[in-house]
């Protein structure tokens, strides 16, 4: 990266491009090294490579694949391509309409996982247009102008920003020489909050250090440093995501009150509950100590129990904190302490351990409050558009930030390792069904001494598993405190999980990769998998069009309509055979276009293909046979997530699926209940596991019981709120 950035003469990349690029990267799941492989022999992009260089078309395809966006801004693509071309020209290796693949790889790798210091070094070289190693007055003025453009692009209130940036640049020039060296730029940037936020830098988190973001305030809000109002119509100031401390951009570098502590620093503080008071706007709330109203910015709020007191009352009354209504979930700081090398349980530094350390490099240990069930939260910030990000910030505010794990940062392992020795805790997964499956797999592989129950905050599109567990069809912005109270009242439920083995008839015949080896929700072949496969391909090509549940359902409906007309999977019975525990199913008399294998009573975002049935009161679970194929017996058979049996349903077409979803038809064709399933296909057919589709050449599929996951089911809800309905 250093050599590339140093050769930036003539580069066309500006701060707006830089920020825009980082925003795309934030929502992409791709890694540079994986996309670059496509330029090697056998890769999809190899024809666009010449020696160590890539042509303009190959560069465009690289960006689309890496950023997972089909319609990138043309100007951004041109600026980036010109940047790499100019870098090569400076090296004396001109190539018409070609750029260096190694340079591309270095550049994006730094943005992907580089440290703040590296990114500051890169931006310095970006602004040092003449490459002389320092920023002169004209370049500093240009930076201020460019930063104003970047702030405007991000939606900041820029009315008072120019003098703030001028003061910032003056402060960075530590020796007052009139020029800024690279070292001054890096040191100044590491200590300058507005500059960090503008550049999108994520400084390593330290205890009691604010996590700043620009925020748009919809009501009068005051700065906690200077007491002045935050003026403007757009993003008027900086707000800490953890404690909600609010400041002007110009006040961010001044002496601010510290953020909440997330752990204690000595063993003497372990188990000693104490309020953590944070300055707050009280909105004329009453002081819980003296019961008198609190004027604006004259009060403090406890970060854990959320009591509000006057400044002078905060030091009076009891100093003991009970963590308030969410005490059963919260891991307060006095329950998280450093683990010294001589302590039992100290381990060498693996990746998971590193993410559960203090800023000084000390491992942390949990000693939960007695009679509580601390909540371990996993958030997929990409689920539900930007909804995942908002949920993560809210949960960091309601709980200890160290309980809330961003799945983009190392996956589930750091959180599971951190809670490994906690005896009674719960897990909350914030994401879609795929995210839940990821966490369940991680819990399996972690070989935990205690298997925690898992609740779901649904952020995906279908959310079929969340529906079955009564967590609803999708989070719609309701109060997260209420949802956390529901988690506290949840009931444990073992849920079957199934192993799936796909064996191609011809191992050399190339097909799509099988997405999962485990079935949590359902497996299907035929019409519904065909619709899902076309939907998946369309979303991969144009991801920006699929940014809401409503749009996704509309596109899905359009594809289902076209599938009804084309009937691409008609006469499915001629293309496959099914055995249930060795008993073959007779499908010859059925005109099927799809077969669904169900573990849960929800599919396609709320369809119950098996239908409702009243279980025979005389029926005993211990007497249920491994396989049931008799039509009359199946009429009274009900589904159970814990019975170690799968339900097999036949579908006549997309129209029938729509009728079941809308309630015009009660169920599909019940074919069997079974503890083991073998399916043999005679031609390539669309298939899907838990909503992830693929095309599979002729093969044999074995499905058998794997284990049971410990899930949390919400209590039945009397409210008619939309959150709890399809």
């Amino acid at each position: 990266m250093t050599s590339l950035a140093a050769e930036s003469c003539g580069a066309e990349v500006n701060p707006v491009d830089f920020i825009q690029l980082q925003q795309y990267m934030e929502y992409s799941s791709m890694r540079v090294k994986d996309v670059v492989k496509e330029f090697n022999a056998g890769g999809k992009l190899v024809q666009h490579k010449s020696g160590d260089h890539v042509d303009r078309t190959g560069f465009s395809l690289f960006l689309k694949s890496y950023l997972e966006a089909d319609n990138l801004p043309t100007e951004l693509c041109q600026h980036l391509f010109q940047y790499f071309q100019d870098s090569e020209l400076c090296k004396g290796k001109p190539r018409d309409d070609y750029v260096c693949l190694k340079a591309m790889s270095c550049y994006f790798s730094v943005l992907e996982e580089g440290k703040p210091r590296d990114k500051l070094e890169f931006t310095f070289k970006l602004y040092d247009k003449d490459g002389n190693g320092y920023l002169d007055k004209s370049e500093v003025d240009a930076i201020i102008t460019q930063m104003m453009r970047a702030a405007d692009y991000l939606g900041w209130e820029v009315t008072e920003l120019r003098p703030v940036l001028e003061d910032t640049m003056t402060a960075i020039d530590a020796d007052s020489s009139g020029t800024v060296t690279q070292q001054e730029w890096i040191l100044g940037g590491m200590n300058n909050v507005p500059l960090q936020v503008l550049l999108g830098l994520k400084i390593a988190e330290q205890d009691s250090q604010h996590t700043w973001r620009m925020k748009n305030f919809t009501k009068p809000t005051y700065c906690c440093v200077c007491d002045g109002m935050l003026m403007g119509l757009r993003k008027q100031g900086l707000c800490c995501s953890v404690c909600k401390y609010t400041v002007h951009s110009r006040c961010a570098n001044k002496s601010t009150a510290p953020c909440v502590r997330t752990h204690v620093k000595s063993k003497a503080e372990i188990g000693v509950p104490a309020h953590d008071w944070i300055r707050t706007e009280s909105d004329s709330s009453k002081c819980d100590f003296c019961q008198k109203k609190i004027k604006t910015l004259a009060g403090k709020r406890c970060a854990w129990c959320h009591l509000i007191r006057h400044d002078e009352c905060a030091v009076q009354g009891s100093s003991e904190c009970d963590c308030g209504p969410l005490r059963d979930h919260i891991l307060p700081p006095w329950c998280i302490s450093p683990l010294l090398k001589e302590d039992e349980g100290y381990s060498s530094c693996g990746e998971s351990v590193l993410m559960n350390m203090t800023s000084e490099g000390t491992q942390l240990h949990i000693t939960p409050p007695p009679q509580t069930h601390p909540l371990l939260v996993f958030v997929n910030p990409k689920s539900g558009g930007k909804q995942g990000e908002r949920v993560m910030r809210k949960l960091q505010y309601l709980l200890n930030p160290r309980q809330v794990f961003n799945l983009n940062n190392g996956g589930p392992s750091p959180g599971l390792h951190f809670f490994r020795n906690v005896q009674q805790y719960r897990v909350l997964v914030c994401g879609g069904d795929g995210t839940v499956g990821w966490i369940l797999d991680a819990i399996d592989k972690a070989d935990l001494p205690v298997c925690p129950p898992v609740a779901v905050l649904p952020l995906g599109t279908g959310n079929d598993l969340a529906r079955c567990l009564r967590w609803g069809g999708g989070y719609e912005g309701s109060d997260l405190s209420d949802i956390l109270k529901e988690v506290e009242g949840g009931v444990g439920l073992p849920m079957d999980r199934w192993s799936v083995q796909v064996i191609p008839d011809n191992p050399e015949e190339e097909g799509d990769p099988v997405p999962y080896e485990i079935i949590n929700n359902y497996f299907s072949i035929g019409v519904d998998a065909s619709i899902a496969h076309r939907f998946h391909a369309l979303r991969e090509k144009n991801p920006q069009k699929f940014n809401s549940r409503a749009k996704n359902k509309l596109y899905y409906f359009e594809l289902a309509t076209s599938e009804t007309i084309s009937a691409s999977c008609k006469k499915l019975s001629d293309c496959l055979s099914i055995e249930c525990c060795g008993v073959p199913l007779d499908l010859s008399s059925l005109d099927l276009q799809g077969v669904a294998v169900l573990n849960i009573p929800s599919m396609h975002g709320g369809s119950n293909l098996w239908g409702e049935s009243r279980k025979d009161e005389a029926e005993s679970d211990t007497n249920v046979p491994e396989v049931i194929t008799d039509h009359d017996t199946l009429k009274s058979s009900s589904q159970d997530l814990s019975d170690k049996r799968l339900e097999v349903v036949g579908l006549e077409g997309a129209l029938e699926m729509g009728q079941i979803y809308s309630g015009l038809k009660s169920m599909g064709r019940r074919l069997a209940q079974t503890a083991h399933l073998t399916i043999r296909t005679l031609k390539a057919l669309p298939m899907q596991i838990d909503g992830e589709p693929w095309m599979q050449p002729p093969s044999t599929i074995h499905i058998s019981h794997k284990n049971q996951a410990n899930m949390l089911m919400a209590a039945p809800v009397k409210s008619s709120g939309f959150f709890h309905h399809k």
Side-chain angles (χ1 to χ4, degrees):
M1 184 278 297
T2 304
S3 61
L4 169 67
E7 306 295 342
S8 61
C9 59
E12 296 293 331
V13 180
N14 59 54
V16 174
D17 297 326
F18 185 78
I19 292 169
Q20 202 172 15
L21 182 60
Q22 287 193 312
Q23 289 179 332
Y24 274 104
M25 292 177 67
E26 191 173 346
Y27 286 94
S28 172
S29 59
M30 300 299 291
R31 308 287 287 182
V32 172
K33 60 181 181 181
D34 296 326
V35 183
V36 168
K37 288 179 182 177
E38 297 298 333
F39 289 102
N40 297 334
K44 298 177 181 178
L45 303 177
V46 66
Q47 69 270 27
H48 299 288
K49 183 182 177 185
S50 174
D52 294 329
H53 293 72
V54 174
D55 63 23
R56 187 182 292 271
T57 302
F59 180 76
S60 177
L61 293 172
F62 167 85
L63 285 180
K64 290 178 181 180
S65 178
Y66 177 56
L67 301 177
E68 296 182 313
D70 195 53
N71 294 327
L72 288 169
T74 303
E75 189 176 2
L76 174 63
C77 296
Q78 290 175 343
H79 287 181
L80 288 170
F81 188 81
Q82 183 65 43
Y83 173 81
F84 289 114
Q85 272 206 316
D86 288 346
S87 296
E88 287 301 293
L89 288 170
C90 287
K91 291 181 179 180
K93 298 178 181 179
R95 294 288 302 270
D96 291 339
D97 276 345
Y98 277 83
V99 293
C100 177
L101 181 61
K102 184 177 180 181
M104 290 163 49
S105 178
C106 290
Y107 178 99
F108 290 109
S109 294
V110 168
L111 295 186
E112 185 177 89
E113 55 194 13
K115 298 177 181 178
R117 186 181 184 91
D118 294 333
K119 293 185 180 182
L120 282 165
E121 181 181 339
F122 167 78
T123 53
F124 178 87
K125 301 294 176 62
L126 189 66
Y127 299 140
D128 182 15
K129 295 294 184 181
D130 55 14
N132 62 1
Y134 61 84
L135 305 174
D136 57 29
K137 187 179 186 306
S138 63
E139 288 169 330
V140 168
D141 290 341
I143 289 174
I144 293 173
T145 301
Q146 291 167 356
M147 284 295 180
M148 292 285 286
R149 290 179 56 203
D152 188 61
Y153 170 79
L154 291 171
W156 289 34
E157 185 63 44
V158 297
T159 309
E160 300 180 356
L161 187 59
R162 179 172 287 277
V164 173
L165 290 175
E166 289 174 349
D167 291 344
T168 295
M169 298 309 297
T170 300
I172 286 177
D173 181 14
D175 60 5
S176 301
S177 64
T179 59
V180 177
T181 65
Q182 179 176 304
Q183 188 64 20
E184 287 176 329
W185 171 262
I186 292 173
L187 291 177
M190 294 289 283
N191 294 292
N192 191 280
V193 173
L195 189 60
Q196 292 171 10
V197 179
L198 266 175
L199 293 174
L201 301 180
K202 296 182 179 179
I203 304 299
E205 295 181 4
Q206 299 180 17
D207 203 47
S208 301
Q209 177 177 301
H210 294 292
T211 304
W212 298 111
R213 67 183 181 93
M214 287 300 297
K215 184 177 178 181
N216 184 54
F217 298 94
T218 56
K219 62 181 182 180
T221 306
Y222 296 85
C223 174
C224 292
V225 173
C226 71
D227 294 349
M229 183 181 289
L230 275 62
M231 306 296 292
L233 300 176
R234 298 187 294 173
K235 294 179 180 178
Q236 306 98 329
L238 292 161
C239 180
C240 175
S241 296
V242 174
C243 72
K244 308 303 181 188
Y245 194 85
T246 304
V247 296
H248 289 106
S249 297
R250 64 175 181 267
C251 297
N253 294 326
K254 298 179 181 178
S255 179
T256 61
C259 191
V260 297
R261 56 177 183 159
T262 61
H263 64 89
V264 295
K265 296 184 178 181
S266 68
K267 290 187 176 182
E269 298 175 274
I270 299 174
V272 182
H275 294 294
D276 275 341
W277 298 109
I278 301 294
R279 192 172 188 186
T280 184
E281 286 199 60
S282 55
D283 295 326
S284 299
S285 302
K286 284 187 178 181
C287 173
D288 78 277
F289 181 74
C290 70
Q291 302 304 313
K292 295 180 181 179
K293 283 189 176 182
I294 304 174
K295 296 180 180 179
T296 301
L297 290 178
K300 292 182 178 179
R301 171 187 56 82
C302 175
W304 311 114
C305 67
H306 295 282
L307 290 178
I308 297 178
R309 295 182 183 176
H310 289 104
D311 290 345
E312 59 273 17
C313 293
V315 295
Q316 303 182 47
S318 173
S319 63
E320 186 172 319
C321 178
D322 66 357
C323 291
L326 300 178
R327 64 177 63 88
D328 194 48
H329 292 310
I330 293 176
L331 261 183
W334 54 86
C335 293
I336 304 176
S337 57
L339 186 66
L340 304 178
K341 288 188 177 181
E342 58 269 20
D343 292 336
E344 184 178 353
Y346 186 90
S347 59
S348 58
C349 291
E351 182 178 353
S352 295
V353 178
L354 285 171
M355 296 188 71
N356 298 310
M357 283 187 163
T358 67
S359 56
E360 294 80 21
T362 306
Q363 291 184 36
L364 293 173
H365 174 72
I366 298 174
T367 307
Q371 299 180 339
T372 64
H373 305 79
L375 194 63
L376 170 58
V377 181
F378 294 111
V379 183
N380 186 345
K382 297 178 182 177
S383 294
K386 290 192 175 182
Q387 195 177 42
E389 281 188 1
R390 292 192 293 268
V391 165
M392 185 165 62
R393 289 197 298 265
K394 290 178 181 178
L395 289 172
Q396 286 175 332
Y397 172 72
L398 292 171
L399 306 171
N400 190 324
R402 291 193 182 272
Q403 294 176 250
V404 183
F405 287 80
N406 182 340
L407 288 171
N408 283 351
N409 299 333
S413 296
L416 293 174
H417 185 277
F418 189 38
F419 274 68
R420 184 176 185 84
N421 296 318
V422 180
Q423 293 302 306
Q424 291 187 318
Y425 68 101
R426 304 184 184 99
V427 172
L428 176 63
V429 181
C430 305
D433 287 343
T435 305
V436 178
W438 182 15
I439 301 303
L440 296 181
D441 282 346
I443 291 174
D444 267 356
K445 294 173 182 176
D447 192 25
L448 301 171
V450 175
C451 187
V454 179
V456 184
L457 179 63
L459 300 180
T461 301
N463 300 311
D464 289 293
L465 181 55
R467 294 172 192 271
C468 299
L469 298 173
R470 301 194 188 122
W471 298 113
Y475 174 65
E476 297 293 338
S478 55
D479 191 333
L480 283 174
S481 296
D482 294 338
I483 294 173
L484 292 178
K485 293 301 291 184
E486 289 185 43
V487 173
E488 185 178 343
V491 178
L493 174 75
M495 183 188 76
D496 296 324
R497 302 177 74 232
W498 301 82
S499 295
V500 57
Q501 183 183 18
V502 180
I503 305 172
D505 291 353
N506 181 2
E508 296 182 359
E509 188 172 359
E510 186 177 352
D512 298 333
V514 179
Y516 301 128
E517 297 178 350
I518 305 294
I519 299 172
N520 294 308
N521 299 357
Y522 53 81
F523 168 86
S524 69
I525 300 176
V527 57
D528 67 308
S530 176
I531 297 170
H533 189 261
R534 290 166 61 194
F535 176 86
H536 184 76
L538 192 60
R539 183 166 58 179
E540 287 288 301
K541 186 177 180 181
N542 301 287
Q544 72 283 355
K545 295 182 179 180
F546 297 79
N547 54 9
S548 73
R549 291 192 196 99
K551 285 184 180 179
N552 291 352
K553 288 184 177 181
L554 180 61
Y555 282 118
Y556 206 92
F557 175 76
E558 290 178 357
L559 292 172
T561 302
S562 65
E563 177 63 31
T564 301
I565 299 172
S566 64
S568 64
C569 297
K570 61 185 178 181
K571 296 184 179 181
L572 186 68
S573 306
D574 298 339
C575 307
L576 57 77
S577 63
I578 302 176
E579 290 183 5
C580 300
C581 296
V583 178
L585 293 183
D586 183 7
L587 305 177
S588 58
S589 62
L590 303 177
D591 183 18
L592 300 180
Q593 293 188 34
V595 173
V597 180
L598 311 174
N599 185 47
I600 64 175
S602 181
M603 191 173 177
H604 310 139
S607 291
N608 186 348
L609 301 187
W610 185 257
E612 300 292 339
S613 56
R614 183 174 297 176
K615 194 171 184 179
D616 189 345
E617 293 180 0
E619 182 182 344
S620 171
D621 289 341
T622 57
N623 297 324
V624 175
E626 276 195 328
V627 59
I628 302 173
T629 58
D630 179 70
H631 182 66
D632 292 332
T633 306
L634 288 173
K635 284 183 179 179
S636 60
S637 297
S638 62
Q639 283 184 280
D640 188 335
L641 275 67
S642 312
D643 63 358
K644 299 182 181 179
R645 292 189 301 171
L646 291 164
E647 286 70 40
V648 185
V649 180
L651 297 170
E652 295 177 357
L655 180 60
E656 183 186 39
M657 290 166 49
Q659 291 172 333
I660 295 172
Y661 182 82
S662 62
L664 296 176
K665 191 172 182 179
S666 61
M667 66 184 77
R669 173 79 180 197
R670 295 186 179 184
L671 300 178
Q673 278 189 317
T674 180
H676 185 275
L677 196 69
T678 299
I679 302 173
R680 294 180 176 88
T681 61
L682 302 179
K683 71 172 188 177
L685 290 170
M687 303 182 183
Q688 68 169 329
I689 296 176
D690 293 353
E692 290 293 326
W694 80 101
M695 286 296 296
Q696 179 62 42
S699 58
T700 300
I701 299 105
H702 297 287
I703 302 175
S704 58
H705 192 266
K706 175 179 172 60
N707 59 17
Q708 290 186 324
N710 193 6
M711 308 301 293
L712 270 179
M713 176 176 278
V717 178
K718 299 178 182 179
S719 169
S720 60
F722 176 78
F723 175 74
H724 297 282
H725 294 275
K726 180 170 74 180

